[in-house]
Amino acid sequence: MDDSPSDDLTATGPTVELTDPATMRVLAHPTRLRLLGELRVQGPCSVGMLSRAVDEAPGSVSYHLSRLAEVGLVAEAPDHAPDRRQRWWRSVHAFTRTPSPTDTSDPERSAASTALRKSFVRGLADAHEAYLDAEHDLPPEWAEAASTGDLYLDLTADELAQMAAEVRAVFDRWLRRSDRDRAGTRPVLALHALFPRP
């Protein structure tokens, strides 16, 4: 695991593994999750750019960024600011990993991890709804290319683990191909969720 900051975050950038419950609670705030996501997708941004992206007042955005900075998830990026009046920020890591849900040795960490993952799932649902609201304004080729679906299967735990590994391999293959500077690309949100039905 490489937790070192990177000035040029790409799809293959560093991953942070969250183990501190306080850090997980800071990140579980929906606005902070969105801000971190924007910085990871768009790269370094000014407070004004982030304010427009998440539809929050600049003062609120600055506060949430300072909270994320306190736990080492974002950092100021003064080299991107055209002048001293603007504050620019960047994500320190490309990816976040939470503790295994089977690790219950620290109940506080386990509860914070569950709360963070629930907040993440709610954010994904909001993102999907925003896509559906905007779908009719997309060029037809983008709307036709998008896909959503679900499937119920009867599998063993080993088969579920094998399927999850295969899905991750597909994601990894496309992640290596991802390049925001390539002509004709735009950010695409790829989701996967494989879990036993409660």
Side-chain angles (χ1 to χ4, degrees), residues 154-192:
D154 295 300
L155 304 173
T156 66
D158 286 342
E159 289 168 336
L160 177 57
Q162 180 182 345
M163 183 178 180
E166 291 175 10
V167 169
R168 282 191 301 271
V170 169
F171 272 50
D172 287 345
R173 188 177 81 233
W174 284 98
L175 188 58
R176 288 189 298 274
R177 185 171 181 168
S178 177
D179 178 1
R180 75 175 66 164
D181 295 326
R182 192 160 38 99
T185 67
R186 67 185 297 164
V188 171
L189 178 57
L191 311 174
H192 84 274

PDB file of all heavy atoms in Angstrom, residues 154-192:
ATOM      1  N   ASP A 154     -28.158 -18.163  -7.447  1.00  0.00           N
ATOM      2  CA  ASP A 154     -27.995 -19.074  -6.315  1.00  0.00           C
ATOM      3  C   ASP A 154     -26.582 -19.615  -6.367  1.00  0.00           C
ATOM      4  O   ASP A 154     -26.249 -20.440  -7.222  1.00  0.00           O
ATOM      5  CB  ASP A 154     -29.025 -20.213  -6.393  1.00  0.00           C
ATOM      6  CG  ASP A 154     -30.445 -19.693  -6.237  1.00  0.00           C
ATOM      7  OD1 ASP A 154     -30.734 -19.109  -5.181  1.00  0.00           O
ATOM      8  OD2 ASP A 154     -31.243 -19.843  -7.181  1.00  0.00           O
ATOM      9  N   LEU A 155     -25.718 -19.120  -5.452  1.00  0.00           N
ATOM     10  CA  LEU A 155     -24.295 -19.452  -5.470  1.00  0.00           C
ATOM     11  C   LEU A 155     -23.823 -19.870  -4.081  1.00  0.00           C
ATOM     12  O   LEU A 155     -24.436 -19.505  -3.079  1.00  0.00           O
ATOM     13  CB  LEU A 155     -23.473 -18.234  -5.922  1.00  0.00           C
ATOM     14  CG  LEU A 155     -23.815 -17.608  -7.269  1.00  0.00           C
ATOM     15  CD1 LEU A 155     -23.021 -16.328  -7.462  1.00  0.00           C
ATOM     16  CD2 LEU A 155     -23.550 -18.586  -8.396  1.00  0.00           C
ATOM     17  N   THR A 156     -22.720 -20.577  -4.057  1.00  0.00           N
ATOM     18  CA  THR A 156     -22.038 -20.838  -2.789  1.00  0.00           C
ATOM     19  C   THR A 156     -21.161 -19.632  -2.459  1.00  0.00           C
ATOM     20  O   THR A 156     -20.903 -18.778  -3.314  1.00  0.00           O
ATOM     21  CB  THR A 156     -21.157 -22.094  -2.882  1.00  0.00           C
ATOM     22  OG1 THR A 156     -20.089 -21.820  -3.807  1.00  0.00           O
ATOM     23  CG2 THR A 156     -21.962 -23.312  -3.343  1.00  0.00           C
ATOM     24  N   ALA A 157     -20.649 -19.580  -1.237  1.00  0.00           N
ATOM     25  CA  ALA A 157     -19.746 -18.495  -0.848  1.00  0.00           C
ATOM     26  C   ALA A 157     -18.491 -18.495  -1.728  1.00  0.00           C
ATOM     27  O   ALA A 157     -18.006 -17.434  -2.141  1.00  0.00           O
ATOM     28  CB  ALA A 157     -19.364 -18.616   0.625  1.00  0.00           C
ATOM     29  N   ASP A 158     -17.972 -19.681  -2.028  1.00  0.00           N
ATOM     30  CA  ASP A 158     -16.794 -19.768  -2.904  1.00  0.00           C
ATOM     31  C   ASP A 158     -17.100 -19.254  -4.306  1.00  0.00           C
ATOM     32  O   ASP A 158     -16.274 -18.572  -4.923  1.00  0.00           O
ATOM     33  CB  ASP A 158     -16.278 -21.211  -2.985  1.00  0.00           C
ATOM     34  CG  ASP A 158     -15.567 -21.645  -1.718  1.00  0.00           C
ATOM     35  OD1 ASP A 158     -15.169 -20.763  -0.923  1.00  0.00           O
ATOM     36  OD2 ASP A 158     -15.396 -22.868  -1.533  1.00  0.00           O
ATOM     37  N   GLU A 159     -18.273 -19.592  -4.828  1.00  0.00           N
ATOM     38  CA  GLU A 159     -18.643 -19.120  -6.165  1.00  0.00           C
ATOM     39  C   GLU A 159     -18.825 -17.597  -6.178  1.00  0.00           C
ATOM     40  O   GLU A 159     -18.431 -16.924  -7.137  1.00  0.00           O
ATOM     41  CB  GLU A 159     -19.922 -19.813  -6.631  1.00  0.00           C
ATOM     42  CG  GLU A 159     -19.712 -21.280  -6.963  1.00  0.00           C
ATOM     43  CD  GLU A 159     -21.015 -22.038  -7.154  1.00  0.00           C
ATOM     44  OE1 GLU A 159     -22.065 -21.600  -6.609  1.00  0.00           O
ATOM     45  OE2 GLU A 159     -20.986 -23.080  -7.838  1.00  0.00           O
ATOM     46  N   LEU A 160     -19.417 -17.053  -5.110  1.00  0.00           N
ATOM     47  CA  LEU A 160     -19.570 -15.606  -5.018  1.00  0.00           C
ATOM     48  C   LEU A 160     -18.199 -14.930  -4.996  1.00  0.00           C
ATOM     49  O   LEU A 160     -17.979 -13.922  -5.687  1.00  0.00           O
ATOM     50  CB  LEU A 160     -20.365 -15.220  -3.765  1.00  0.00           C
ATOM     51  CG  LEU A 160     -20.548 -13.728  -3.510  1.00  0.00           C
ATOM     52  CD1 LEU A 160     -21.225 -13.033  -4.681  1.00  0.00           C
ATOM     53  CD2 LEU A 160     -21.336 -13.506  -2.218  1.00  0.00           C
ATOM     54  N   ALA A 161     -17.253 -15.488  -4.245  1.00  0.00           N
ATOM     55  CA  ALA A 161     -15.896 -14.934  -4.202  1.00  0.00           C
ATOM     56  C   ALA A 161     -15.235 -15.005  -5.576  1.00  0.00           C
ATOM     57  O   ALA A 161     -14.552 -14.069  -6.001  1.00  0.00           O
ATOM     58  CB  ALA A 161     -15.059 -15.680  -3.161  1.00  0.00           C
ATOM     59  N   GLN A 162     -15.450 -16.097  -6.295  1.00  0.00           N
ATOM     60  CA  GLN A 162     -14.877 -16.242  -7.639  1.00  0.00           C
ATOM     61  C   GLN A 162     -15.485 -15.222  -8.593  1.00  0.00           C
ATOM     62  O   GLN A 162     -14.766 -14.578  -9.377  1.00  0.00           O
ATOM     63  CB  GLN A 162     -15.119 -17.659  -8.151  1.00  0.00           C
ATOM     64  CG  GLN A 162     -14.555 -17.904  -9.540  1.00  0.00           C
ATOM     65  CD  GLN A 162     -14.870 -19.322 -10.046  1.00  0.00           C
ATOM     66  OE1 GLN A 162     -15.260 -20.201  -9.284  1.00  0.00           O
ATOM     67  NE2 GLN A 162     -14.713 -19.520 -11.333  1.00  0.00           N
ATOM     68  N   MET A 163     -16.809 -15.051  -8.524  1.00  0.00           N
ATOM     69  CA  MET A 163     -17.462 -14.078  -9.388  1.00  0.00           C
ATOM     70  C   MET A 163     -16.957 -12.665  -9.073  1.00  0.00           C
ATOM     71  O   MET A 163     -16.680 -11.872  -9.985  1.00  0.00           O
ATOM     72  CB  MET A 163     -18.978 -14.145  -9.217  1.00  0.00           C
ATOM     73  CG  MET A 163     -19.740 -13.217 -10.133  1.00  0.00           C
ATOM     74  SD  MET A 163     -21.527 -13.382  -9.908  1.00  0.00           S
ATOM     75  CE  MET A 163     -22.101 -12.190 -11.108  1.00  0.00           C
ATOM     76  N   ALA A 164     -16.817 -12.341  -7.793  1.00  0.00           N
ATOM     77  CA  ALA A 164     -16.316 -11.022  -7.398  1.00  0.00           C
ATOM     78  C   ALA A 164     -14.915 -10.784  -7.950  1.00  0.00           C
ATOM     79  O   ALA A 164     -14.604  -9.689  -8.434  1.00  0.00           O
ATOM     80  CB  ALA A 164     -16.329 -10.877  -5.879  1.00  0.00           C
ATOM     81  N   ALA A 165     -14.065 -11.797  -7.894  1.00  0.00           N
ATOM     82  CA  ALA A 165     -12.704 -11.670  -8.432  1.00  0.00           C
ATOM     83  C   ALA A 165     -12.740 -11.436  -9.941  1.00  0.00           C
ATOM     84  O   ALA A 165     -11.960 -10.628 -10.471  1.00  0.00           O
ATOM     85  CB  ALA A 165     -11.882 -12.913  -8.093  1.00  0.00           C
ATOM     86  N   GLU A 166     -13.628 -12.123 -10.642  1.00  0.00           N
ATOM     87  CA  GLU A 166     -13.747 -11.946 -12.091  1.00  0.00           C
ATOM     88  C   GLU A 166     -14.245 -10.541 -12.432  1.00  0.00           C
ATOM     89  O   GLU A 166     -13.751  -9.911 -13.367  1.00  0.00           O
ATOM     90  CB  GLU A 166     -14.681 -13.003 -12.679  1.00  0.00           C
ATOM     91  CG  GLU A 166     -14.106 -14.410 -12.643  1.00  0.00           C
ATOM     92  CD  GLU A 166     -15.092 -15.472 -13.121  1.00  0.00           C
ATOM     93  OE1 GLU A 166     -16.164 -15.115 -13.655  1.00  0.00           O
ATOM     94  OE2 GLU A 166     -14.790 -16.667 -12.932  1.00  0.00           O
ATOM     95  N   VAL A 167     -15.216 -10.036 -11.659  1.00  0.00           N
ATOM     96  CA  VAL A 167     -15.731  -8.684 -11.900  1.00  0.00           C
ATOM     97  C   VAL A 167     -14.631  -7.660 -11.645  1.00  0.00           C
ATOM     98  O   VAL A 167     -14.443  -6.724 -12.424  1.00  0.00           O
ATOM     99  CB  VAL A 167     -16.977  -8.414 -11.027  1.00  0.00           C
ATOM    100  CG1 VAL A 167     -17.355  -6.941 -11.054  1.00  0.00           C
ATOM    101  CG2 VAL A 167     -18.145  -9.271 -11.489  1.00  0.00           C
ATOM    102  N   ARG A 168     -13.874  -7.832 -10.554  1.00  0.00           N
ATOM    103  CA  ARG A 168     -12.768  -6.910 -10.258  1.00  0.00           C
ATOM    104  C   ARG A 168     -11.727  -6.937 -11.378  1.00  0.00           C
ATOM    105  O   ARG A 168     -11.170  -5.899 -11.738  1.00  0.00           O
ATOM    106  CB  ARG A 168     -12.127  -7.240  -8.917  1.00  0.00           C
ATOM    107  CG  ARG A 168     -12.938  -6.749  -7.720  1.00  0.00           C
ATOM    108  CD  ARG A 168     -12.154  -6.842  -6.423  1.00  0.00           C
ATOM    109  NE  ARG A 168     -11.725  -8.185  -6.109  1.00  0.00           N
ATOM    110  CZ  ARG A 168     -12.431  -9.072  -5.416  1.00  0.00           C
ATOM    111  NH1 ARG A 168     -13.626  -8.746  -4.948  1.00  0.00           N
ATOM    112  NH2 ARG A 168     -11.966 -10.278  -5.177  1.00  0.00           N
ATOM    113  N   ALA A 169     -11.486  -8.108 -11.949  1.00  0.00           N
ATOM    114  CA  ALA A 169     -10.518  -8.217 -13.049  1.00  0.00           C
ATOM    115  C   ALA A 169     -11.000  -7.435 -14.272  1.00  0.00           C
ATOM    116  O   ALA A 169     -10.200  -6.783 -14.946  1.00  0.00           O
ATOM    117  CB  ALA A 169     -10.273  -9.686 -13.401  1.00  0.00           C
ATOM    118  N   VAL A 170     -12.296  -7.482 -14.552  1.00  0.00           N
ATOM    119  CA  VAL A 170     -12.851  -6.705 -15.671  1.00  0.00           C
ATOM    120  C   VAL A 170     -12.689  -5.211 -15.378  1.00  0.00           C
ATOM    121  O   VAL A 170     -12.251  -4.437 -16.242  1.00  0.00           O
ATOM    122  CB  VAL A 170     -14.334  -7.063 -15.916  1.00  0.00           C
ATOM    123  CG1 VAL A 170     -14.987  -6.084 -16.876  1.00  0.00           C
ATOM    124  CG2 VAL A 170     -14.454  -8.494 -16.435  1.00  0.00           C
ATOM    125  N   PHE A 171     -13.018  -4.790 -14.160  1.00  0.00           N
ATOM    126  CA  PHE A 171     -12.861  -3.383 -13.787  1.00  0.00           C
ATOM    127  C   PHE A 171     -11.400  -2.958 -13.914  1.00  0.00           C
ATOM    128  O   PHE A 171     -11.101  -1.894 -14.444  1.00  0.00           O
ATOM    129  CB  PHE A 171     -13.352  -3.156 -12.354  1.00  0.00           C
ATOM    130  CG  PHE A 171     -14.819  -2.857 -12.250  1.00  0.00           C
ATOM    131  CD1 PHE A 171     -15.763  -3.646 -12.870  1.00  0.00           C
ATOM    132  CD2 PHE A 171     -15.253  -1.774 -11.516  1.00  0.00           C
ATOM    133  CE1 PHE A 171     -17.116  -3.375 -12.768  1.00  0.00           C
ATOM    134  CE2 PHE A 171     -16.610  -1.483 -11.397  1.00  0.00           C
ATOM    135  CZ  PHE A 171     -17.550  -2.279 -12.032  1.00  0.00           C
ATOM    136  N   ASP A 172     -10.497  -3.797 -13.435  1.00  0.00           N
ATOM    137  CA  ASP A 172      -9.066  -3.469 -13.497  1.00  0.00           C
ATOM    138  C   ASP A 172      -8.598  -3.305 -14.940  1.00  0.00           C
ATOM    139  O   ASP A 172      -7.815  -2.409 -15.246  1.00  0.00           O
ATOM    140  CB  ASP A 172      -8.223  -4.546 -12.802  1.00  0.00           C
ATOM    141  CG  ASP A 172      -8.347  -4.501 -11.296  1.00  0.00           C
ATOM    142  OD1 ASP A 172      -8.853  -3.485 -10.760  1.00  0.00           O
ATOM    143  OD2 ASP A 172      -7.952  -5.491 -10.644  1.00  0.00           O
ATOM    144  N   ARG A 173      -9.090  -4.184 -15.823  1.00  0.00           N
ATOM    145  CA  ARG A 173      -8.687  -4.101 -17.231  1.00  0.00           C
ATOM    146  C   ARG A 173      -9.129  -2.769 -17.843  1.00  0.00           C
ATOM    147  O   ARG A 173      -8.354  -2.089 -18.519  1.00  0.00           O
ATOM    148  CB  ARG A 173      -9.282  -5.273 -18.019  1.00  0.00           C
ATOM    149  CG  ARG A 173      -8.738  -5.358 -19.442  1.00  0.00           C
ATOM    150  CD  ARG A 173      -9.268  -6.557 -20.186  1.00  0.00           C
ATOM    151  NE  ARG A 173     -10.600  -6.276 -20.692  1.00  0.00           N
ATOM    152  CZ  ARG A 173     -11.682  -7.033 -20.475  1.00  0.00           C
ATOM    153  NH1 ARG A 173     -11.608  -8.128 -19.746  1.00  0.00           N
ATOM    154  NH2 ARG A 173     -12.844  -6.705 -20.971  1.00  0.00           N
ATOM    155  N   TRP A 174     -10.362  -2.352 -17.570  1.00  0.00           N
ATOM    156  CA  TRP A 174     -10.859  -1.093 -18.124  1.00  0.00           C
ATOM    157  C   TRP A 174     -10.234   0.104 -17.418  1.00  0.00           C
ATOM    158  O   TRP A 174     -10.056   1.162 -18.030  1.00  0.00           O
ATOM    159  CB  TRP A 174     -12.387  -1.046 -18.068  1.00  0.00           C
ATOM    160  CG  TRP A 174     -12.959  -1.908 -19.150  1.00  0.00           C
ATOM    161  CD1 TRP A 174     -13.418  -3.183 -19.032  1.00  0.00           C
ATOM    162  CD2 TRP A 174     -13.059  -1.578 -20.534  1.00  0.00           C
ATOM    163  NE1 TRP A 174     -13.810  -3.659 -20.256  1.00  0.00           N
ATOM    164  CE2 TRP A 174     -13.603  -2.687 -21.199  1.00  0.00           C
ATOM    165  CE3 TRP A 174     -12.746  -0.446 -21.276  1.00  0.00           C
ATOM    166  CZ2 TRP A 174     -13.847  -2.697 -22.564  1.00  0.00           C
ATOM    167  CZ3 TRP A 174     -12.984  -0.447 -22.637  1.00  0.00           C
ATOM    168  CH2 TRP A 174     -13.536  -1.569 -23.272  1.00  0.00           C
ATOM    169  N   LEU A 175      -9.885  -0.057 -16.156  1.00  0.00           N
ATOM    170  CA  LEU A 175      -9.215   1.020 -15.430  1.00  0.00           C
ATOM    171  C   LEU A 175      -7.863   1.341 -16.056  1.00  0.00           C
ATOM    172  O   LEU A 175      -7.476   2.507 -16.190  1.00  0.00           O
ATOM    173  CB  LEU A 175      -9.039   0.614 -13.964  1.00  0.00           C
ATOM    174  CG  LEU A 175      -8.531   1.664 -12.996  1.00  0.00           C
ATOM    175  CD1 LEU A 175      -9.436   2.878 -12.960  1.00  0.00           C
ATOM    176  CD2 LEU A 175      -8.420   1.054 -11.607  1.00  0.00           C
ATOM    177  N   ARG A 176      -7.143   0.316 -16.473  1.00  0.00           N
ATOM    178  CA  ARG A 176      -5.856   0.527 -17.141  1.00  0.00           C
ATOM    179  C   ARG A 176      -6.021   1.271 -18.474  1.00  0.00           C
ATOM    180  O   ARG A 176      -5.134   1.972 -18.913  1.00  0.00           O
ATOM    181  CB  ARG A 176      -5.137  -0.813 -17.350  1.00  0.00           C
ATOM    182  CG  ARG A 176      -4.582  -1.405 -16.056  1.00  0.00           C
ATOM    183  CD  ARG A 176      -3.689  -2.601 -16.314  1.00  0.00           C
ATOM    184  NE  ARG A 176      -4.375  -3.719 -16.944  1.00  0.00           N
ATOM    185  CZ  ARG A 176      -5.053  -4.663 -16.297  1.00  0.00           C
ATOM    186  NH1 ARG A 176      -5.143  -4.638 -14.982  1.00  0.00           N
ATOM    187  NH2 ARG A 176      -5.631  -5.646 -16.957  1.00  0.00           N
ATOM    188  N   ARG A 177      -7.164   1.129 -19.096  1.00  0.00           N
ATOM    189  CA  ARG A 177      -7.416   1.794 -20.385  1.00  0.00           C
ATOM    190  C   ARG A 177      -7.898   3.238 -20.198  1.00  0.00           C
ATOM    191  O   ARG A 177      -7.773   4.061 -21.094  1.00  0.00           O
ATOM    192  CB  ARG A 177      -8.464   0.996 -21.159  1.00  0.00           C
ATOM    193  CG  ARG A 177      -8.715   1.498 -22.541  1.00  0.00           C
ATOM    194  CD  ARG A 177      -9.576   0.534 -23.303  1.00  0.00           C
ATOM    195  NE  ARG A 177      -9.812   1.012 -24.654  1.00  0.00           N
ATOM    196  CZ  ARG A 177     -10.339   0.283 -25.601  1.00  0.00           C
ATOM    197  NH1 ARG A 177     -10.678  -0.966 -25.356  1.00  0.00           N
ATOM    198  NH2 ARG A 177     -10.536   0.783 -26.797  1.00  0.00           N
ATOM    199  N   SER A 178      -8.434   3.537 -19.029  1.00  0.00           N
ATOM    200  CA  SER A 178      -8.998   4.849 -18.755  1.00  0.00           C
ATOM    201  C   SER A 178      -7.939   5.948 -18.875  1.00  0.00           C
ATOM    202  O   SER A 178      -6.837   5.820 -18.350  1.00  0.00           O
ATOM    203  CB  SER A 178      -9.592   4.853 -17.339  1.00  0.00           C
ATOM    204  OG  SER A 178     -10.078   6.119 -17.008  1.00  0.00           O
ATOM    205  N   ASP A 179      -8.290   7.027 -19.593  1.00  0.00           N
ATOM    206  CA  ASP A 179      -7.365   8.137 -19.780  1.00  0.00           C
ATOM    207  C   ASP A 179      -8.187   9.394 -20.053  1.00  0.00           C
ATOM    208  O   ASP A 179      -8.777   9.531 -21.133  1.00  0.00           O
ATOM    209  CB  ASP A 179      -6.415   7.850 -20.947  1.00  0.00           C
ATOM    210  CG  ASP A 179      -5.444   8.983 -21.226  1.00  0.00           C
ATOM    211  OD1 ASP A 179      -5.478  10.012 -20.512  1.00  0.00           O
ATOM    212  OD2 ASP A 179      -4.651   8.847 -22.174  1.00  0.00           O
ATOM    213  N   ARG A 180      -8.239  10.292 -19.080  1.00  0.00           N
ATOM    214  CA  ARG A 180      -9.081  11.483 -19.225  1.00  0.00           C
ATOM    215  C   ARG A 180      -8.613  12.404 -20.338  1.00  0.00           C
ATOM    216  O   ARG A 180      -9.365  13.261 -20.795  1.00  0.00           O
ATOM    217  CB  ARG A 180      -9.203  12.238 -17.905  1.00  0.00           C
ATOM    218  CG  ARG A 180      -7.982  13.027 -17.524  1.00  0.00           C
ATOM    219  CD  ARG A 180      -8.190  13.838 -16.280  1.00  0.00           C
ATOM    220  NE  ARG A 180      -8.368  12.968 -15.144  1.00  0.00           N
ATOM    221  CZ  ARG A 180      -8.265  13.346 -13.895  1.00  0.00           C
ATOM    222  NH1 ARG A 180      -7.999  14.577 -13.599  1.00  0.00           N
ATOM    223  NH2 ARG A 180      -8.423  12.498 -12.907  1.00  0.00           N
ATOM    224  N   ASP A 181      -7.366  12.271 -20.776  1.00  0.00           N
ATOM    225  CA  ASP A 181      -6.839  13.151 -21.821  1.00  0.00           C
ATOM    226  C   ASP A 181      -7.073  12.602 -23.235  1.00  0.00           C
ATOM    227  O   ASP A 181      -6.750  13.268 -24.218  1.00  0.00           O
ATOM    228  CB  ASP A 181      -5.339  13.380 -21.608  1.00  0.00           C
ATOM    229  CG  ASP A 181      -5.074  14.129 -20.313  1.00  0.00           C
ATOM    230  OD1 ASP A 181      -5.907  14.979 -19.940  1.00  0.00           O
ATOM    231  OD2 ASP A 181      -4.052  13.843 -19.663  1.00  0.00           O
ATOM    232  N   ARG A 182      -7.629  11.378 -23.333  1.00  0.00           N
ATOM    233  CA  ARG A 182      -7.869  10.785 -24.653  1.00  0.00           C
ATOM    234  C   ARG A 182      -9.108  11.427 -25.278  1.00  0.00           C
ATOM    235  O   ARG A 182     -10.129  11.614 -24.605  1.00  0.00           O
ATOM    236  CB  ARG A 182      -8.056   9.275 -24.497  1.00  0.00           C
ATOM    237  CG  ARG A 182      -8.030   8.505 -25.789  1.00  0.00           C
ATOM    238  CD  ARG A 182      -7.737   7.032 -25.541  1.00  0.00           C
ATOM    239  NE  ARG A 182      -8.362   6.488 -24.349  1.00  0.00           N
ATOM    240  CZ  ARG A 182      -9.497   5.784 -24.349  1.00  0.00           C
ATOM    241  NH1 ARG A 182     -10.112   5.525 -25.475  1.00  0.00           N
ATOM    242  NH2 ARG A 182      -9.989   5.319 -23.220  1.00  0.00           N
ATOM    243  N   ALA A 183      -9.049  11.765 -26.550  1.00  0.00           N
ATOM    244  CA  ALA A 183     -10.172  12.414 -27.243  1.00  0.00           C
ATOM    245  C   ALA A 183     -11.424  11.546 -27.179  1.00  0.00           C
ATOM    246  O   ALA A 183     -11.361  10.326 -27.337  1.00  0.00           O
ATOM    247  CB  ALA A 183      -9.790  12.684 -28.697  1.00  0.00           C
ATOM    248  N   GLY A 184     -12.555  12.203 -26.945  1.00  0.00           N
ATOM    249  CA  GLY A 184     -13.841  11.511 -26.960  1.00  0.00           C
ATOM    250  C   GLY A 184     -14.236  10.867 -25.647  1.00  0.00           C
ATOM    251  O   GLY A 184     -15.299  10.260 -25.556  1.00  0.00           O
ATOM    252  N   THR A 185     -13.396  10.981 -24.615  1.00  0.00           N
ATOM    253  CA  THR A 185     -13.746  10.360 -23.334  1.00  0.00           C
ATOM    254  C   THR A 185     -14.496  11.334 -22.444  1.00  0.00           C
ATOM    255  O   THR A 185     -14.439  12.551 -22.632  1.00  0.00           O
ATOM    256  CB  THR A 185     -12.488   9.872 -22.573  1.00  0.00           C
ATOM    257  OG1 THR A 185     -11.716  10.996 -22.191  1.00  0.00           O
ATOM    258  CG2 THR A 185     -11.677   8.901 -23.407  1.00  0.00           C
ATOM    259  N   ARG A 186     -15.211  10.786 -21.496  1.00  0.00           N
ATOM    260  CA  ARG A 186     -15.842  11.555 -20.424  1.00  0.00           C
ATOM    261  C   ARG A 186     -15.886  10.659 -19.201  1.00  0.00           C
ATOM    262  O   ARG A 186     -15.815   9.426 -19.334  1.00  0.00           O
ATOM    263  CB  ARG A 186     -17.229  12.044 -20.830  1.00  0.00           C
ATOM    264  CG  ARG A 186     -18.255  10.960 -21.020  1.00  0.00           C
ATOM    265  CD  ARG A 186     -19.587  11.458 -21.532  1.00  0.00           C
ATOM    266  NE  ARG A 186     -20.226  12.366 -20.608  1.00  0.00           N
ATOM    267  CZ  ARG A 186     -21.226  13.174 -20.927  1.00  0.00           C
ATOM    268  NH1 ARG A 186     -21.704  13.197 -22.165  1.00  0.00           N
ATOM    269  NH2 ARG A 186     -21.767  13.967 -20.046  1.00  0.00           N
ATOM    270  N   PRO A 187     -15.986  11.210 -18.001  1.00  0.00           N
ATOM    271  CA  PRO A 187     -16.040  10.352 -16.813  1.00  0.00           C
ATOM    272  C   PRO A 187     -17.253   9.423 -16.853  1.00  0.00           C
ATOM    273  O   PRO A 187     -18.368   9.835 -17.188  1.00  0.00           O
ATOM    274  CB  PRO A 187     -16.156  11.345 -15.657  1.00  0.00           C
ATOM    275  CG  PRO A 187     -15.585  12.619 -16.190  1.00  0.00           C
ATOM    276  CD  PRO A 187     -15.951  12.634 -17.660  1.00  0.00           C
ATOM    277  N   VAL A 188     -17.027   8.175 -16.550  1.00  0.00           N
ATOM    278  CA  VAL A 188     -18.077   7.159 -16.502  1.00  0.00           C
ATOM    279  C   VAL A 188     -18.021   6.511 -15.126  1.00  0.00           C
ATOM    280  O   VAL A 188     -16.944   6.127 -14.665  1.00  0.00           O
ATOM    281  CB  VAL A 188     -17.855   6.090 -17.604  1.00  0.00           C
ATOM    282  CG1 VAL A 188     -18.808   4.923 -17.429  1.00  0.00           C
ATOM    283  CG2 VAL A 188     -18.006   6.705 -18.984  1.00  0.00           C
ATOM    284  N   LEU A 189     -19.147   6.396 -14.459  1.00  0.00           N
ATOM    285  CA  LEU A 189     -19.206   5.749 -13.153  1.00  0.00           C
ATOM    286  C   LEU A 189     -19.545   4.282 -13.350  1.00  0.00           C
ATOM    287  O   LEU A 189     -20.597   3.944 -13.889  1.00  0.00           O
ATOM    288  CB  LEU A 189     -20.254   6.423 -12.269  1.00  0.00           C
ATOM    289  CG  LEU A 189     -20.479   5.843 -10.884  1.00  0.00           C
ATOM    290  CD1 LEU A 189     -19.184   5.830 -10.073  1.00  0.00           C
ATOM    291  CD2 LEU A 189     -21.550   6.628 -10.154  1.00  0.00           C
ATOM    292  N   ALA A 190     -18.645   3.409 -12.960  1.00  0.00           N
ATOM    293  CA  ALA A 190     -18.866   1.963 -13.057  1.00  0.00           C
ATOM    294  C   ALA A 190     -19.098   1.431 -11.652  1.00  0.00           C
ATOM    295  O   ALA A 190     -18.283   1.639 -10.760  1.00  0.00           O
ATOM    296  CB  ALA A 190     -17.652   1.294 -13.696  1.00  0.00           C
ATOM    297  N   LEU A 191     -20.206   0.751 -11.445  1.00  0.00           N
ATOM    298  CA  LEU A 191     -20.564   0.228 -10.128  1.00  0.00           C
ATOM    299  C   LEU A 191     -20.578  -1.288 -10.166  1.00  0.00           C
ATOM    300  O   LEU A 191     -20.917  -1.883 -11.176  1.00  0.00           O
ATOM    301  CB  LEU A 191     -21.972   0.685  -9.721  1.00  0.00           C
ATOM    302  CG  LEU A 191     -22.325   2.155  -9.846  1.00  0.00           C
ATOM    303  CD1 LEU A 191     -23.800   2.350  -9.538  1.00  0.00           C
ATOM    304  CD2 LEU A 191     -21.478   2.959  -8.899  1.00  0.00           C
ATOM    305  N   HIS A 192     -20.257  -1.898  -9.043  1.00  0.00           N
ATOM    306  CA  HIS A 192     -20.565  -3.319  -8.904  1.00  0.00           C
ATOM    307  C   HIS A 192     -20.862  -3.586  -7.441  1.00  0.00           C
ATOM    308  O   HIS A 192     -20.311  -2.970  -6.548  1.00  0.00           O
ATOM    309  CB  HIS A 192     -19.436  -4.215  -9.440  1.00  0.00           C
ATOM    310  CG  HIS A 192     -18.330  -4.470  -8.469  1.00  0.00           C
ATOM    311  ND1 HIS A 192     -17.270  -3.619  -8.312  1.00  0.00           N
ATOM    312  CD2 HIS A 192     -18.115  -5.508  -7.625  1.00  0.00           C
ATOM    313  CE1 HIS A 192     -16.444  -4.108  -7.412  1.00  0.00           C
ATOM    314  NE2 HIS A 192     -16.931  -5.238  -6.974  1.00  0.00           N
TER     315      HIS A 192
END
